[in-house]
Amino acid sequence: MSVIIGAAAVLVAVILLIFLIRQREKHLKASRMYKYAEYLKEKQLQDSQHQIKNKDEKISLLEKELDRMNNKHSIERNNNKEMIIMSSDVYHRFLDYGEYGSDKRPIQLDWEELEQVLSVELEGFPMKLRALCKLSKRDYRMCLLLRIGIPPQKIARILSIEKSTVSTQRARLYRDYFGRKGSAKDWDVFVCSL
């Protein structure tokens, strides 16, 4: 009987040992599968981040190219607009009015035509100028002439004022608008940016 009990105990011990070995193998297999799943997850994350980085770089390059093309087209459009203005009859009339020794002066219709050309070609420039700045009639007209590239000495002759007055007025307009001292050229840059 004790042999049977001893054999049963050995059998139970062997079964328990086999069960523990299988449990341990299952645990090791599950652990390996978990680590492999983590590896795949990490690799997929790295691949995704790499793809995102590559796409971001491509997007950035495309945005830069688009900006470059937009700037190029904007410059071309601006150049075309400037050429249209400079080829207009009213522009040439104002150039003639400013010639040294000329006693011709623009009439109201000339100023209205100049405003019209600038409104169309420079997307409402006169209206923007009036909205931004409170200008006297003479200062407003001076700004129109500055915008079409008439030099200060011709502006002085067209408006029947001294050249120094044209320079002083431009510097004053800059100071009044921006609240700080600036040169006549600073005002010209601002006017041409509108």
Side-chain angles (χ1 to χ4, degrees), residues 147-190:
R147 186 58 186 91
I148 63 171
I150 302 290
Q153 61 272 20
K154 282 194 175 192
I155 292 173
R157 289 193 291 270
I158 291 169
L159 298 176
S160 300
I161 57 177
E162 295 294 320
K163 182 182 173 198
S164 60
T165 304
V166 174
S167 183
T168 304
Q169 284 297 96
R170 288 156 51 218
R172 182 191 58 76
L173 287 168
Y174 184 89
R175 185 192 67 233
D176 290 351
Y177 184 75
F178 289 100
R180 64 179 185 271
K181 188 175 179 180
S183 68
K185 293 278 187 196
D186 293 331
W187 181 252
D188 297 352
V189 169
F190 170 69

Side-chain angles (χ1 to χ4, degrees), residues 20-21 23 31 43 45 80 89 93 105 107 109 128 137 178:
L20 290 174
I21 290 172
Q23 284 299 104
S31 177
K43 186 173 181 335
L45 179 63
N80 288 341
D89 290 339
R93 281 199 308 274
R105 294 289 173 264
I107 60 173
L109 286 174
K128 289 180 200 172
K137 187 176 189 177
F178 289 100

Side-chain angles (χ1 to χ4, degrees), residues 4-187:
I4 293 177
I5 293 175
V10 169
L11 185 61
V12 168
V14 169
I15 292 172
L16 185 60
L17 185 60
I18 291 171
F19 175 76
L20 290 174
I21 290 172
R22 286 195 177 165
Q23 284 299 104
R24 182 178 151 112
E25 285 176 356
K26 282 182 185 178
H27 178 71
L28 287 174
K29 185 177 179 182
S31 177
R32 281 193 300 267
M33 289 183 72
Y34 177 77
K35 285 179 182 176
Y36 184 67
E38 285 294 310
Y39 165 77
L40 289 178
K41 182 179 170 185
E42 183 66 28
K43 186 173 181 335
Q44 189 175 21
L45 179 63
Q46 287 174 353
D47 289 347
S48 295
Q49 288 173 340
H50 184 69
Q51 287 175 354
I52 289 169
K53 184 180 176 187
N54 284 344
K55 286 181 181 178
D56 285 346
E57 287 172 358
K58 286 178 183 177
I59 288 170
S60 178
L61 286 173
L62 289 171
E63 285 173 343
K64 286 177 184 174
E65 181 64 17
L66 185 60
D67 284 345
R68 189 188 67 73
M69 289 174 65
N70 284 340
N71 287 339
K72 181 181 175 187
H73 291 306
S74 177
I75 289 167
E76 287 172 1
R77 277 194 309 273
N78 287 342
N79 286 342
N80 288 341
K81 290 175 182 184
E82 298 293 332
M83 286 175 61
I84 290 168
I85 291 168
M86 291 179 163
S87 63
S88 69
D89 290 339
V90 71
Y91 174 79
H92 289 285
R93 281 199 308 274
F94 275 96
L95 282 179
D96 289 342
Y97 292 143
E99 281 303 305
Y100 188 75
S102 171
D103 58 351
K104 293 182 190 176
R105 294 289 173 264
I107 60 173
Q108 183 61 31
L109 286 174
D110 293 320
W111 291 108
E112 289 171 6
E113 188 179 343
L114 180 60
E115 279 184 314
Q116 181 63 30
V117 167
L118 292 177
S119 285
V120 171
E121 297 304 327
L122 299 178
E123 297 158 7
F125 168 77
M127 194 163 63
K128 289 180 200 172
L129 184 62
R130 282 189 171 145
L132 288 172
C133 312
K134 187 171 183 175
L135 299 170
S136 68
K137 187 176 189 177
R138 185 177 72 185
D139 288 343
Y140 172 71
R141 287 178 171 179
M142 179 179 63
C143 290
L144 294 180
L145 296 173
L146 285 169
R147 186 58 186 91
I148 63 171
I150 302 290
Q153 61 272 20
K154 282 194 175 192
I155 292 173
R157 289 193 291 270
I158 291 169
L159 298 176
S160 300
I161 57 177
E162 295 294 320
K163 182 182 173 198
S164 60
T165 304
V166 174
S167 183
T168 304
Q169 284 297 96
R170 288 156 51 218
R172 182 191 58 76
L173 287 168
Y174 184 89
R175 185 192 67 233
D176 290 351
Y177 184 75
F178 289 100
R180 64 179 185 271
K181 188 175 179 180
S183 68
K185 293 278 187 196
D186 293 331
W187 181 252

